[in-house]
Amino acid sequence: MPVQRPGTSSSRRTLYAASAALLATFALPLTLPGVASADVSPVPHHAGAAAPAGTAPVRGTAYMGMGVLAHDGQGRRPVNRRSAAIAQTEGVDVSSHQGEVNWPSLYSTGVKWAYVKATEGNYYRSTTFNQQYTGSYKAGMIRGSYHFAAPDVSSGANQAGYFADHGGAWSKDGKTLPGVLDIEWNPYGASCYGLSTSAMVSWIKDFVKTYKSRTGRDAVIYTATSWWKECTGDYAGFAKTNPLWVARYNTSPGVLPKGWGFQTIWQYTSTGPAVGDRDKFNGALDRLKALANG
């Protein structure tokens, strides 16, 4: 059972503040082989992200689960039971807020997989992507990348292409997981990005269709049930094709979005040891490898 480290949350807030100040000035280019380098700076608020001046974070600083605590809260941690019918494989998700991660140390604690933030919107590439993505791989983990959606900025197709071009590609090597669409509360403005439920569903369809055409894989959808109900009307149409990664910081995943009978991944806390966000893959390591291989 993971042990919560005192001070994890405050450390994360300190990192967040430092990252926001840095990102307000510049963003560093990626140097991943096969990916073109370019200076990419955070952009100002776009129409539809109506937050009072000075209250919203800097564009580019969002991370997976950013709004979960604020909207859904946090309950008790899950209890690992050896008699559980389905084995759970421990993983983490990271972004620039974690900085350079000590992957060998994390792997030695039983963490076998990782998802790394690659992009946000069509304007930001993570400044720590190379270290986190290649470092987790070299440590022996199965890893993948995620895209933080900004539906108020550009189309789903545009952002899927941006993601695929800047860290979201997939290869059948047994160590690369399919890309993730992180679709959740808007940290820069209105929760649903100013879109109606039907428009939001169309945006997500646009993204996952384009991502599959670019990579050959169906994207994993990361979300929280409460957000999904509010912003898509609890749309059930993605369940047959897109694996679900549900966020709920409590003893169980709880009620899932409509259509999904089970979650593929569950983000169960933001206060784990070494790095904040901890996750459980709903299966043993061989099933995780199967997901990686498609």
Side-chain angles (χ1 to χ4, degrees):
M1 177 178 178
V3 178
Q4 181 176 342
R5 284 186 177 178
T8 301
S9 296
S10 61
S11 298
R12 181 167 185 157
R13 285 194 295 270
T14 301
L15 271 173
Y16 179 85
S19 298
L22 179 64
L23 286 165
T25 307
F26 64 89
L28 299 177
L30 288 177
T31 56
L32 188 67
V35 175
S37 295
D39 291 322
V40 183
S41 297
V43 300
H45 295 308
H46 290 254
T55 62
V58 176
R59 286 273 181 175
T61 59
Y63 54 85
M64 183 176 277
M66 192 170 185
V68 175
L69 282 176
H71 291 81
D72 289 351
Q74 179 161 285
R76 292 181 298 169
R77 299 283 285 276
V79 177
N80 293 329
R81 294 184 175 87
R82 293 182 181 276
S83 60
I86 300 176
Q88 305 284 300
T89 307
E90 194 77 6
V92 297
D93 57 271
V94 297
S95 67
S96 62
H97 297 285
Q98 279 76 34
E100 292 195 1
V101 177
N102 185 337
W103 292 108
S105 176
L106 198 56
Y107 184 81
S108 71
T109 67
V111 175
K112 302 303 180 186
W113 60 271
Y115 264 106
V116 176
K117 181 181 178 182
T119 53
E120 178 179 322
N122 63 355
Y123 49 79
Y124 173 78
R125 292 178 279 166
S126 174
T127 59
T128 55
F129 179 75
N130 284 343
Q131 191 278 337
Q132 293 175 346
Y133 193 74
T134 60
S136 54
Y137 177 90
K138 289 178 180 179
M141 294 185 188
I142 301 173
R143 84 308 188 220
S145 56
Y146 78 85
H147 173 80
F148 194 97
D152 57 333
V153 171
S154 66
S155 69
N158 173 263
Q159 292 187 35
Y162 186 79
F163 178 44
D165 287 339
H166 301 109
W170 175 80
S171 58
K172 191 173 183 177
D173 57 7
K175 298 291 290 290
T176 305
L177 293 162
V180 173
L181 170 63
D182 178 357
I183 186 78
E184 56 175 291
W185 292 281
N186 177 12
Y188 312 116
S191 292
C192 301
Y193 300 86
L195 300 184
S196 66
T197 55
S198 60
M200 182 63 75
V201 169
S202 294
W203 192 96
I204 297 170
K205 285 181 179 179
D206 203 22
F207 184 99
V208 298
K209 178 181 178 181
T210 302
Y211 183 78
K212 185 167 186 179
S213 72
R214 289 291 308 274
T215 67
R217 293 300 307 269
D218 289 304
V220 176
I221 293 178
Y222 168 97
T223 195
T225 300
S226 55
W227 183 92
W228 192 261
K229 287 181 177 180
E230 177 185 355
C231 297
T232 74
D234 213 13
Y235 181 75
F238 297 109
K240 291 183 179 180
T241 53
N242 300 94
L244 172 67
W245 186 345
V246 68
R248 184 174 188 258
Y249 302 161
N250 215 312
T251 56
S252 74
V255 176
L256 302 179
K258 188 178 293 185
W260 281 286
F262 61 91
Q263 79 285 352
T264 296
I265 304 173
W266 168 29
Q267 186 188 56
Y268 66 89
T269 185
S270 63
T271 56
V275 299
D277 296 344
R278 299 299 287 262
D279 311 273
K280 293 182 181 296
F281 173 78
N282 197 18
L285 186 60
D286 65 324
R287 301 316 305 156
L288 182 66
K289 291 178 179 178
L291 176 63
N293 279 319

